[in-house]
């Protein structure tokens, strides 16, 4: 939970020269104003689908991409190396793997006798070989995530009926090639055509670039798995392999009851078994909305649909004061994928809701004098949230499922 007051927090941009807005920029500002002046209540919906337990007997080839760019220098790269070797040690013995250390180019782990790189069997001996290979790498240079995925796909060669899993281990900070999430998603989708496998993006560190990692996984029809500080490497390895082996809902779409509008995100990421996805919206139909939520998609190539009856009632409970900022954060993340064209909208939402973005920073100032010194407007569009009061919520099982 969060504690303390956010009344003295403000998202701001550095002062700059005044400029004349273009027609597109004026439209973006007007769009932000429309959101800010809308008095409709905010709502957050967490969907946790119960996916069928389809068993797939196919063998898999795992391409493990360890980010070796400069941003991974030090303990972060050491953690990625330990995770890579642990994954190889715990991998299903029927599978095979390749390992690549990538910055702007990729260096594959080759045969120690000088042969070319090729998929090999996992196990304890293979894990030690991965340790030796990555122990010789000193992280440096830029990071080209799109090229890394393309190199991983090329490294495994023909699949011969096996399934491909690309496991990216890194902080997800691209500096070369496709750097915007939308461009990165397109680059990965080009490298990994539909049905050709999946990308599992493992986020190393609390400061990992989640928008880029999300685009990486989305483009490859996979999911993001966090590897947070303090987590045991063996536990993280099993989490990653669970995502690689487990059932995933792809091409997910959701249909909400009438009365809920301005939904974000407009497109859902893949959802793995046991996972959830978060939707935010506005209650344009009044202070109470009833109906059904329909979640559709594909699991193992088969159609999937689940329906949830819901009843949403707005309230003014102080414990729910985080929901407007949750809405703003989701809306900002979605708008940022549109590039600089949406920058004015993002900045305005960021300032009014006190939510940091790629174009703003969150400042915590100690006095009114400091606000005046920076020339900052303290006006925001949402109440303060301290985390000291319990939030009010409701839940619903899927139709026909007692424990969904």
């Amino acid at each position: 939970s969060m504690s303390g007051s956010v009344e003295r927090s403000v998202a701001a941009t550095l002062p700059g020269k005044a400029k004349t807005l273009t027609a597109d920029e004026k439209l973006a500002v007007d769009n932000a104003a429309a959101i800010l002046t809308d008095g409709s209540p905010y709502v957050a919906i967490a969907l946790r689908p119960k996916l069928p337990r389809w068993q797939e007997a196919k063998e898999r080839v795992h391409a493990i991409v360890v980010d070796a760019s400069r941003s991974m220098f030090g303990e972060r790269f050491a953690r990625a190396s330990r995770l890579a070797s642990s994954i190889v040690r715990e991998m299903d013995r029927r599978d095979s793997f390749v390992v690549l250390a990538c910055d702007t180019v990729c260096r594959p782990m080759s045969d120690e006798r000088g042969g070319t790189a090729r998929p090999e069997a996992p196990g304890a001996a293979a894990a030690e070989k991965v340790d030796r290979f990555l122990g010789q790498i000193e992280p440096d240079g830029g990071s080209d995530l799109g090229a890394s995925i393309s190199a991983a796909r090329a490294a495994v060669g023909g699949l011969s009926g096996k399934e491909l899993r690309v496991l990216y281990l890194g902080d997800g900070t691209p500096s070369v090639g496709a750097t915007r999430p939308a461009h990165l998603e397109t680059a990965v989708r080009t490298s990994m055509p539909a049905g050709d496998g999946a990308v599992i993006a493992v986020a190393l560190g609390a400061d990992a670039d989640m928008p880029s990692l999300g685009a990486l996984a989305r483009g490859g029809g996979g999911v993001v798995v966090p590897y947070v500080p303090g987590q045991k490497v063996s536990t993280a390895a099993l989490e990653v392999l669970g995502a690689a082996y487990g059932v995933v809902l792809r091409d997910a779409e959701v249909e909400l009851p009438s009365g809920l509008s301005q939904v974000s995100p407009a497109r859902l990421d893949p959802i793995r078994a046991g996972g959830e996805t978060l939707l935010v919206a506005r209650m344009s139909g009044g202070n109470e909305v009833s109906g059904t939520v329909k979640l559709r998609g594909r699991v193992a190539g088969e159609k999937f649909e689940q329906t949830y009856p819901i009843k949403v009632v707005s309230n003014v409970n102080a414990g729910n004061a985080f929901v407007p900022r949750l809405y703003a954060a989701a809306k900002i993340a979605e708008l940022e994928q549109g590039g600089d064209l949406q920058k004015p909208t993002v900045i305005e939402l960021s300032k009014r809701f006190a939510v940091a973005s790629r174009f703003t920073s969150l400042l915590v100032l100690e006095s009114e004098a400091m606000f005046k010194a920076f020339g900052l407007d303290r006006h925001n569009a949402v109440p303060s949230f301290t985390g000291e009061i319990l939030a009010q919520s409701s839940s619903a099982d899927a139709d026909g499922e007692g424990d969904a």
Side-chain angles (χ1 to χ4, degrees):
S1 63
M2 298 175 59
S3 61
S5 173
V6 297
E7 289 186 355
R8 294 187 181 277
S9 298
V10 59
T13 54
L14 294 176
K17 295 181 180 180
K19 71 169 190 173
T20 302
L21 298 180
T22 65
D24 288 336
E25 289 172 333
K26 288 179 180 178
L27 178 60
V29 172
D30 289 341
N31 290 339
I35 295 174
L36 294 169
T37 56
D38 186 347
S40 303
Y42 300 86
V43 60
I45 301 174
L47 292 175
R48 304 182 186 96
K50 184 176 181 180
L51 303 181
R53 298 181 180 180
W54 272 305
Q55 298 294 329
E56 302 178 49
K58 287 185 178 181
E59 297 178 6
R60 294 176 175 85
V61 180
H62 302 263
I64 303 174
V65 177
V66 181
D67 192 328
S69 63
R70 183 67 180 177
S71 65
M72 292 289 291
F73 185 83
E75 179 59 23
R76 200 189 302 257
F77 185 76
R79 293 179 68 226
S81 301
R82 291 193 295 269
L83 179 58
S85 63
S86 185
I87 289 171
V88 170
R89 183 176 291 107
E90 300 295 338
M91 195 177 291
D92 190 318
R93 296 300 185 262
R94 297 173 298 175
D95 295 345
S96 57
F97 77 96
V98 296
V99 174
L100 301 92
C102 299
D103 43 58
T104 55
V105 297
C106 289
R107 289 156 284 181
M109 183 179 74
S110 59
D111 189 305
E112 292 183 328
R113 292 172 296 183
T116 58
R118 63 179 184 273
E120 53 188 282
E128 292 177 1
K129 180 180 176 182
V130 172
D131 278 330
R132 290 193 296 272
F133 168 66
L134 295 176
Q136 301 170 357
I137 303 295
E138 183 173 348
D140 202 2
S143 175
D144 190 337
L145 300 185
S148 297
I149 301 303
S150 180
R153 177 62 189 90
V156 301
L159 296 176
S160 302
K162 297 182 179 181
E163 289 194 345
L164 172 62
R165 295 291 183 268
V166 177
L167 312 180
Y168 166 84
L169 316 182
D171 60 1
T173 307
S175 58
V176 179
T179 56
R180 296 190 184 280
H183 298 165
L184 180 57
E185 180 180 343
T186 300
V188 174
R189 185 172 287 111
T190 301
S191 301
M192 300 276 294
D196 202 30
V199 176
I200 310 299
V202 183
L204 267 82
D207 59 344
D209 189 337
M210 297 306 290
S212 293
L213 290 172
L216 203 68
R218 193 162 51 246
V223 295
V224 177
V225 179
Y227 178 23
V228 296
Q231 185 178 14
K232 291 184 178 179
V233 64
S234 57
T235 302
L238 293 177
E239 283 281 323
V240 174
L241 288 172
Y245 292 133
V247 174
V248 176
L249 175 64
R250 296 186 172 90
D251 302 325
E253 297 178 353
V254 66
E255 180 182 323
L256 298 179
S258 59
L260 295 179
S261 61
Q262 299 184 41
V263 181
S264 286
R267 185 178 53 168
L268 300 182
D269 291 341
I271 309 170
R272 62 172 172 151
E276 72 174 26
T277 191
L278 185 68
L279 294 172
V280 293
R282 305 295 291 274
M283 296 176 63
S284 57
N287 294 325
E288 181 176 323
V289 174
S290 298
T292 58
V293 174
K294 293 183 180 180
L295 179 64
R296 302 184 182 91
R298 290 186 174 275
V299 177
E302 300 292 331
K303 290 183 178 180
F304 171 87
E305 180 174 322
Q306 219 160 58
T307 302
Y308 308 84
I310 66 167
K311 180 178 180 180
V312 183
V313 180
S314 67
N315 64 66
V316 292
N317 176 47
N320 292 40
F322 69 93
V323 177
R325 285 193 175 89
L326 203 61
Y327 173 87
K331 182 65 70 175
I332 286 171
E334 190 170 43
L335 290 172
E336 284 177 338
Q337 297 181 26
D340 290 341
L341 183 62
Q342 298 295 337
K343 183 175 179 180
T345 310
V346 170
I347 291 175
E348 192 65 22
L349 291 175
S350 178
K351 292 193 296 184
R352 292 300 184 93
F353 286 89
V355 174
S357 71
R358 286 176 177 259
F359 307 116
T360 57
S361 297
L362 193 64
L363 305 178
V364 181
L365 305 180
E366 297 179 354
S367 66
E368 291 290 344
M370 294 185 70
F371 276 89
K372 293 179 180 178
F374 280 96
L376 300 176
D377 180 8
R378 292 188 58 184
H379 177 268
N380 57 50
V382 292
S384 298
F385 172 69
T386 66
E388 297 172 357
I389 301 176
L390 187 65
Q392 293 181 0
S393 64
S394 60
S395 61
D397 293 330
D399 287 343
E401 300 286 352
D403 59 349

